Amino acid sequence: MCTSAACNTTEERELLPTNVTPIHYDLLLAPDLDKLTYTGKVSIKLRINEATDKIVLHANELEIKDVHMTSAALESEAPLKATSIALEKDDETLHLAFAQQVPAGSDATLTISFGAILNDLMVGFYRSAYTDAQGNPKFMATTQFEPTDARRAFPCWDEPMQKATFDITLRVKEELVALSNMDVAKTEPAGDDGLKEVSFNTTPIMSTYLLAFVVGELEYIEATTSGKHNGRAIPCRIYTTPGKSEKGRFALDVTVKVLEYYADVFGIAYPLPKLDQIAINDFEAGAMENWGLITYREVALLVDEANTSSRAKQQVAYVVSHELAHQWFGNLVTMEWWSELWLNEGFATWVGTLAVDYVFPEYHVWTQFLVDEFQRALALDALRSSHPIQVPVRRSSEISQIFDAISYSKGGSAIRMLSSYIGLDSFFKGIRAYLQKHKYANASTANLWSALSDASGADVTKFMALWTQTIGYPILTVTEAEDGSKIQVQQNRYLSAGNATDAEDQTLWWVPLGISTSETKTQNSSDVLTSREATFDVNVSDAKWYKLNKDTVGIYRVKYPPGAVSNLAKAISAGELDINDRIGIIADSASLASSGHSSTSDFLTLLRAYDKETEFVVWQEIVLRIDALQSVWGAGSEEVRNNLKDLCCKLFSPLVKRLGWEPTKKGEDSLVSRLRALAIRGAGLAGDKDVIDEVNRRFSAFFAGDKSVFTTDTLRTAFAVAVRNGGRNEFEKVKSYYLDSENPADQKLAALSCLGFTTDPALIDELLEFALSDEVRNQDVHQAIVAINTYGAHRERLWKWYRDNYDLLVGRYRASMNYMGILVRMSISEFIGDSKASEVESYFADKNTSKFQRVIDQSLEKIRSNTAWYEKDKDDVSEWFASNKDL
């Protein structure tokens, strides 16, 4: 049995030779936004660890023009030219040889001149296109280096452990703005060609993936923090292309508050002299935490206060808080290797949520965390093809695949579980010690556990190592003693495909039980399951109900005896359980049904207890579960599909009537507004005629010029309902909204994502062609196709599109192949049928999918497990509807 971290094998990493170590880079770059190329020169100060005449560093798609080295330890003061220069494409390395050895213990300076194109791949030093207010096409030059694309911009040692300092100089046109991680040291004319050289102050010691530079026609707004916890006011700017800077006001307000909050809770002041954030038009990730110069997609940074949805506005607050957390956790203290990615992303997911809760308690983000992060993590980690939080990474081609819900969401959920157990005071005491000890250096998960153990007095390493180094999580099966005085709890690995084999069920997790009853509050935290099974004192006979996992903090599912489930249903109906517990119970019930640990009819019966539910986040979880049920049962009879639509109408139509179509008061709670939108969506997509008629009436008025008929939250919902129940007219109008550059970025993308709701095959074919046109940015193709698989008849069309355009897509996304994984997941994961899984498997058999194979495996597993779910419960669901016609 695996009860300790010793069960894991040590990874073998493919790293650069250690005969030299970079100490400092002096980098000059001269981008040409007309020719879309750049030239560069880098001088790298090296410490020679072993006598050598050979140097290997990283470089990718660069033209190397000249290489020489100088050192006081060489026989001659003249530069030593490289005798051999070889670029290894597969390894993304540059191999250099010299006529003399440089002795160990000496210093040397390696100087490389090079050039490259400003690519359109959204990685390295690349170009981003936009249109100015006069309709003219424009470009800016920007960067995206994480995880391994600094080597696309300049030759370097592109590994997190190879920290160095950097002096950056950008030679640009006089009228352009040049930005980098640090503040400007000086600006000087550069010749008679209307150029200037902008030199920045020396960075702290840092990893290459956190370096950044941006050049373009930019404007900004500015504010400073209070300085209360940083000891000085930090100047903060939001940069945008011309005409958009005021849309950065909300993000700027969040920034100045959260930057001080982090300085307080981390116990260390923000270490750089300024913080810039910039909105980039072409940006593959959501945002990137470059130290002192954070880059974002426009939709992740800019808010149109009058027109941006509350959902998108909250997301801006979260993404900004997440990236600001990295300025300490990731930048000041950096993971030692990519297998520790979760240290950056899991922590930032958790503390970013904490910061948003601090600034905007009305958002109730910890409750939303349960759906957006916790359940998302559990869904992925229930697959055999999942991976541990700390995932072994051998080579750079494997890295992009682990930027997923395990590293982010399960990592954040593990931090939430741990901090709840040891208490926030002890937790942050440990965090402050960890940051102080490892600042400006690299650290591991073991270092974090050690600091938290010292701070809390608990052996954190002993009980948390299994959670980060082992795949999966447990299902707890509860049985009751005959005399009603105790419960017995047994743990086994939970898999969405069903029961785990003995070989798969070796781990015994540390499981905090959080037992509560109708008579007591959460029991003492000493109630922890560490063995296969154990007995705990719970007075079942005297309590109306009991529940494990109070507040749904622990990472596990719970299977109760039927009587206990019935009692919990009564408690839900009577309003006796808190919102987090109501979410956890329905999520567990749905998950156990799909995996075969219970029946789908049990889930449907439990759902009836939620008929009086008023909270948006509970309904959000219910919708996700019903959507999954409808997707799988799309393979069933028309009668069952209609029964499921009727069920949705009975659930959501009363909500629409209760909430109405307009806010009842000015400044309505954003979660009430989002619940209204959710209810209209649920009823409208299920075929409620009254809701559809009202959507259509308002839809016509909206496009006739009356923008007041929809709130910022109901607009997206209305687009989906109108397109699903309409034809070309509705499709074209929603498409025109997307194409209008005056509309806010989040609502434009909402419109694009709603086009796939059409039921017309001809319109789907047009949409799939449109998705690859110049009208849709490369980063947004998934938005165009995301809704297509919600209509079963169109799944084959989507899959054919993916196959027909495979080579085009590989060429387009060759530098960010994780996006190929996003597209393949959307194209295949909703299929039902083992034969379909075999077809998909066969298609990819002869293709190089090494950079997104994990997603293919997960999608295939989902197809097969959902097929098994349908075959197991198709009669069960039909019988339930036959017996519940009065629902």
Side-chain angles (χ1 to χ4, degrees):
M1 296 238 175
C2 181
T3 58
S4 73
C7 302
N8 281 322
T9 57
T10 303
E11 65 189 6
E12 295 180 3
R13 304 169 183 170
E14 293 183 359
L15 303 174
L16 291 173
T18 57
N19 56 336
V20 302
T21 300
I23 303 300
H24 177 77
Y25 294 77
D26 199 329
L27 176 63
L28 168 67
L29 294 170
D32 187 328
L33 295 184
D34 297 319
K35 296 179 180 178
L36 301 179
T37 61
Y38 69 96
T39 58
K41 181 178 180 180
V42 62
S43 294
I44 311 170
K45 182 180 179 181
L46 302 174
R47 178 177 299 120
I48 309 302
N49 302 318
E50 303 169 16
T52 187
D53 57 2
K54 293 181 175 60
I55 293 176
V56 181
L57 65 163
H58 287 114
N60 191 12
E61 299 192 10
L62 300 174
E63 179 190 356
I64 306 301
K65 299 178 178 180
D66 181 74
V67 179
H68 64 264
M69 181 165 55
T70 58
S71 174
L74 291 173
E75 298 171 3
S76 170
E77 292 183 4
L80 187 63
K81 283 250 180 194
T83 57
S84 174
I85 301 173
L87 284 163
E88 295 292 339
K89 182 178 179 180
D90 291 345
D91 293 335
E92 301 176 352
T93 52
L94 172 61
H95 294 248
L96 307 173
F98 299 87
Q100 296 180 37
Q101 280 198 343
V102 189
S106 63
D107 290 341
T109 299
L110 176 67
T111 300
I112 304 173
S113 298
F114 58 95
I117 64 168
L118 290 167
N119 70 69
D120 61 353
L121 301 172
M122 296 184 287
V123 292
F125 195 21
Y126 72 92
R127 64 184 187 262
S128 174
Y130 66 97
T131 303
D132 69 13
Q134 288 71 45
N136 301 310
K138 295 279 187 175
F139 290 99
M140 71 167 70
T142 186
T143 56
Q144 171 58 37
F145 291 164
E146 187 181 31
T148 58
D149 284 306
R151 65 191 70 175
R152 284 184 186 271
F154 64 100
C156 57
W157 276 257
D158 200 12
E159 296 166 356
M161 283 284 285
Q162 299 286 4
K163 286 193 169 187
T165 53
F166 296 83
D167 281 329
I168 305 298
T169 299
L170 298 174
R171 183 181 296 155
V172 301
K173 286 185 177 181
E174 181 66 38
E175 66 270 20
L176 298 180
V177 175
L179 304 172
S180 190
N181 304 75
M182 295 296 289
D183 53 337
V184 174
K186 62 180 179 179
T187 301
E188 298 177 326
D192 299 323
D193 298 327
L195 300 178
K196 64 183 176 182
E197 285 190 355
V198 182
S199 299
F200 300 88
N201 283 311
T202 304
T203 71
I205 187 169
M206 60 187 285
S207 301
T208 51
Y209 80 90
L210 294 168
L211 202 64
F213 18 91
V214 179
V215 175
E217 297 177 11
L218 304 170
E219 65 182 31
Y220 68 87
I221 56 173
E222 184 176 28
T224 58
T225 69
S226 67
K228 179 179 180 181
H229 300 292
N230 278 297
R232 59 190 172 88
I234 308 296
C236 302
R237 290 179 175 179
I238 304 289
Y239 282 87
T240 68
T241 52
K244 296 182 178 179
S245 59
E246 275 303 318
K247 293 180 181 178
R249 186 67 61 186
F250 175 74
L252 186 62
D253 291 344
V254 172
T255 298
V256 296
K257 294 173 184 175
V258 172
L259 211 57
E260 289 294 332
Y261 173 70
Y262 284 155
D264 180 24
V265 296
F266 295 152
I268 296 176
Y270 174 72
L272 299 192
K274 57 88 177 178
L275 176 68
D276 294 334
Q277 299 173 94
I278 181 167
I280 308 293
N281 296 78
D282 295 293
F283 197 78
E284 196 264 331
M288 177 60 211
E289 66 265 22
N290 316 298
W291 213 358
L293 176 55
I294 306 173
T295 46
Y296 296 81
R297 284 191 185 199
E298 284 194 333
V299 72
L301 187 66
L302 305 184
V303 169
D304 179 334
E305 288 287 359
N307 297 302
T308 295
S309 70
S310 63
R311 169 188 180 185
K313 187 175 180 180
Q314 178 184 306
Q315 185 65 10
V316 167
Y318 167 73
V319 175
V320 168
S321 299
H322 181 108
E323 302 308 321
L324 293 181
H326 282 309
Q327 305 303 296
W328 286 262
F329 230 91
N331 300 5
L332 181 65
V333 178
T334 309
M335 68 205 165
E336 63 179 20
W337 180 239
W338 296 104
S339 54
E340 306 277 4
L341 175 67
W342 90 277
L343 273 179
N344 286 12
E345 302 301 349
F347 184 82
T349 298
W350 176 83
V351 81
T353 306
L354 190 74
V356 175
D357 187 53
Y358 168 77
V359 179
F360 302 104
E362 67 272 19
Y363 287 172
H364 302 289
V365 288
W366 281 119
T367 300
Q368 294 185 60
F369 182 95
L370 286 182
V371 178
D372 296 339
E373 306 294 347
F374 182 85
Q375 296 299 337
R376 179 168 168 252
L378 266 61
L380 180 54
D381 207 31
L383 300 175
R384 288 184 168 92
S385 48
S386 181
H387 62 82
I389 292 176
Q390 286 177 265
V391 57
V393 175
R394 183 180 178 186
R395 57 178 65 89
S396 59
S397 63
E398 300 171 356
I399 297 170
S400 63
Q401 298 188 75
I402 63 171
F403 283 79
D404 63 5
I406 301 302
S407 298
Y408 286 72
S409 303
K410 188 183 179 186
S413 297
I415 291 291
R416 176 174 173 258
M417 180 173 69
L418 172 62
S419 61
S420 175
Y421 182 72
I422 67 174
L424 274 181
D425 289 344
S426 292
F427 183 80
F428 274 117
K429 179 182 177 182
I431 291 298
R432 288 190 285 271
Y434 167 84
L435 291 172
Q436 280 288 353
K437 184 174 182 179
H438 301 285
K439 61 184 179 181
Y440 302 109
N442 298 80
S444 67
T445 301
N447 299 137
L448 177 61
W449 294 158
S450 177
L452 291 172
S453 294
D454 290 344
S456 65
D459 191 348
V460 172
T461 302
K462 181 179 179 181
F463 56 75
M464 285 305 295
L466 280 170
W467 282 108
T468 58
Q469 295 184 7
T470 305
I471 188 173
Y473 59 90
I475 175 175
L476 304 189
T477 303
V478 180
T479 54
E480 300 169 359
E482 290 186 7
D483 64 1
S485 64
K486 301 177 187 299
I487 59 170
Q488 185 175 43
V489 184
Q490 176 178 310
Q491 64 163 298
N492 299 92
R493 182 179 172 187
Y494 175 80
L495 287 171
S496 59
N499 290 327
T501 65
D502 289 344
E504 293 169 325
D505 192 18
Q506 293 295 301
T507 303
L508 296 179
W509 282 275
W510 171 88
V511 186
L513 295 180
I515 302 171
S516 62
T517 74
S518 57
E519 310 302 318
T520 66
K521 295 182 179 180
T522 302
Q523 290 192 359
N524 189 284
S525 59
S526 62
D527 279 340
V528 175
L529 179 66
T530 57
S531 56
R532 176 65 70 194
E533 58 184 1
T535 301
F536 300 89
D537 291 332
V538 176
N539 198 338
V540 175
S541 57
D542 290 344
K544 291 190 293 182
W545 53 265
Y546 66 91
K547 182 185 180 297
L548 277 64
N549 206 6
K550 172 68 176 169
D551 294 326
T552 315
V553 172
I555 303 174
Y556 53 90
R557 303 284 185 202
V558 184
K559 180 181 180 181
Y560 297 97
V565 175
S566 177
N567 290 337
L568 286 171
K570 293 174 185 175
I572 291 167
S573 186
E576 296 177 12
L577 291 180
D578 292 339
I579 181 171
N580 287 14
D581 290 324
R582 301 199 302 274
I583 293 169
I585 289 169
I586 198 66
D588 281 1
S589 177
S591 298
L592 298 186
S594 63
S595 62
H597 291 89
S598 66
S599 66
T600 306
S601 59
D602 291 338
F603 162 71
L604 292 169
T605 298
L606 178 63
L607 194 57
R608 301 178 75 164
Y610 288 80
D611 60 351
K612 299 174 185 175
E613 182 58 59
T614 60
E615 296 290 342
F616 162 72
V617 187
V618 181
W619 279 112
Q620 186 183 15
E621 181 64 29
I622 290 171
V623 166
L624 290 172
R625 300 300 174 169
I626 292 177
D627 282 353
L629 185 61
Q630 287 185 302
S631 178
V632 173
W633 260 255
S637 67
E638 184 177 0
E639 180 183 4
V640 171
R641 293 199 301 272
N642 288 335
N643 284 335
L644 285 167
K645 287 183 179 180
D646 290 343
L647 173 63
C648 288
C649 287
K650 289 182 172 71
L651 288 169
F652 298 113
S653 298
L655 274 177
V656 177
K657 291 177 181 177
R658 179 171 68 80
L659 294 169
W661 290 78
E662 310 288 348
T664 56
K665 60 181 179 180
K666 188 176 180 179
E668 180 182 61
D669 188 315
S670 64
L671 296 186
V672 174
S673 178
R674 291 171 68 182
L675 177 58
R676 176 183 296 108
L678 192 73
I680 294 170
R681 174 194 183 273
L685 294 182
D688 182 311
K689 187 178 183 303
D690 291 341
V691 170
I692 294 170
D693 288 347
E694 185 63 15
V695 164
N696 289 338
R697 185 187 71 79
R698 290 171 181 258
F699 185 89
S700 296
F702 181 86
F703 282 99
D706 184 1
K707 305 304 182 186
S708 68
V709 294
F710 295 126
T711 69
T712 59
D713 291 319
T714 58
L715 182 63
R716 179 190 194 117
T717 284
F719 283 175
V721 173
V723 171
R724 171 56 59 86
N725 295 285
R728 178 169 292 279
N729 176 59
E730 289 75 16
F731 181 90
E732 293 294 347
K733 284 181 175 177
V734 173
K735 183 178 176 183
S736 71
Y737 184 94
Y738 163 72
L739 291 171
D740 187 343
S741 61
E742 295 301 312
N743 291 323
D746 72 298
Q747 301 288 28
K748 279 165 52 71
L749 291 177
L752 179 63
S753 69
C754 288
L755 294 175
F757 280 102
T758 181
T759 60
D760 185 336
L763 292 178
I764 288 294
D765 289 342
E766 290 180 25
L767 174 59
L768 290 171
E769 183 178 349
F770 180 71
L772 296 178
S773 73
D774 292 340
E775 299 288 0
V776 178
R777 291 185 183 273
N778 290 355
Q779 71 204 30
D780 296 328
V781 171
H782 71 286
Q783 297 278 8
I785 69 172
V786 65
I788 295 176
N789 63 23
T790 64
Y791 190 67
H794 292 159
R795 290 172 188 165
E796 285 290 350
R797 271 185 155 72
L798 180 57
W799 172 224
K800 183 178 185 300
W801 168 85
Y802 184 90
R803 288 174 291 163
D804 289 348
N805 292 283
Y806 182 81
D807 291 339
L808 181 153
L809 293 169
V810 168
R812 179 182 287 191
Y813 300 110
R814 61 184 173 81
S816 52
M817 291 292 277
N818 57 317
Y819 199 81
M820 285 293 289
I822 293 172
L823 296 180
V824 75
R825 178 184 282 118
M826 290 184 173
S827 299
I828 68 173
S829 63
E830 298 304 313
F831 277 130
I832 297 297
D834 291 333
S835 62
K836 183 55 67 175
S838 297
E839 175 192 319
V840 171
E841 212 163 28
S842 176
Y843 174 76
F844 285 112
D846 62 349
K847 293 174 173 56
N848 180 6
T849 58
S850 59
K851 294 185 178 181
F852 60 100
Q853 185 60 45
R854 195 184 295 275
V855 175
I856 295 174
D857 293 341
Q858 291 164 354
S859 299
L860 288 168
E861 188 174 349
K862 182 180 177 183
I863 293 170
R864 289 177 169 129
S865 62
N866 279 346
T867 300
W869 175 24
Y870 174 70
E871 292 298 331
K872 172 183 72 74
D873 275 1
K874 59 183 178 181
D875 292 338
D876 174 66
V877 170
S878 295
E879 291 168 5
W880 187 89
F881 277 115
S883 301
N884 290 272
K885 291 180 179 179
D886 60 330
L887 181 69

PDB file of all heavy atoms in Angstrom, residues 191 705 745 850:
ATOM      1  N   GLY A 191      20.960  57.135 -33.495  1.00  0.00           N
ATOM      2  CA  GLY A 191      21.239  57.440 -34.888  1.00  0.00           C
ATOM      3  C   GLY A 191      20.293  58.487 -35.440  1.00  0.00           C
ATOM      4  O   GLY A 191      19.587  59.193 -34.711  1.00  0.00           O
ATOM      5  N   GLY A 705     -32.501  48.602 -31.778  1.00  0.00           N
ATOM      6  CA  GLY A 705     -31.864  49.738 -31.128  1.00  0.00           C
ATOM      7  C   GLY A 705     -32.132  49.908 -29.657  1.00  0.00           C
ATOM      8  O   GLY A 705     -31.497  50.741 -29.001  1.00  0.00           O
ATOM      9  N   ALA A 745     -15.472  43.311 -25.220  1.00  0.00           N
ATOM     10  CA  ALA A 745     -14.804  42.067 -25.609  1.00  0.00           C
ATOM     11  C   ALA A 745     -15.526  40.840 -25.077  1.00  0.00           C
ATOM     12  O   ALA A 745     -15.689  39.836 -25.792  1.00  0.00           O
ATOM     13  CB  ALA A 745     -13.358  42.084 -25.123  1.00  0.00           C
ATOM     14  N   SER A 850       2.302  13.936 -29.209  1.00  0.00           N
ATOM     15  CA  SER A 850       3.024  13.874 -27.927  1.00  0.00           C
ATOM     16  C   SER A 850       2.754  15.091 -27.050  1.00  0.00           C
ATOM     17  O   SER A 850       2.797  14.984 -25.821  1.00  0.00           O
ATOM     18  CB  SER A 850       4.528  13.740 -28.174  1.00  0.00           C
ATOM     19  OG  SER A 850       5.016  14.838 -28.940  1.00  0.00           O
TER      20      SER A 850
END
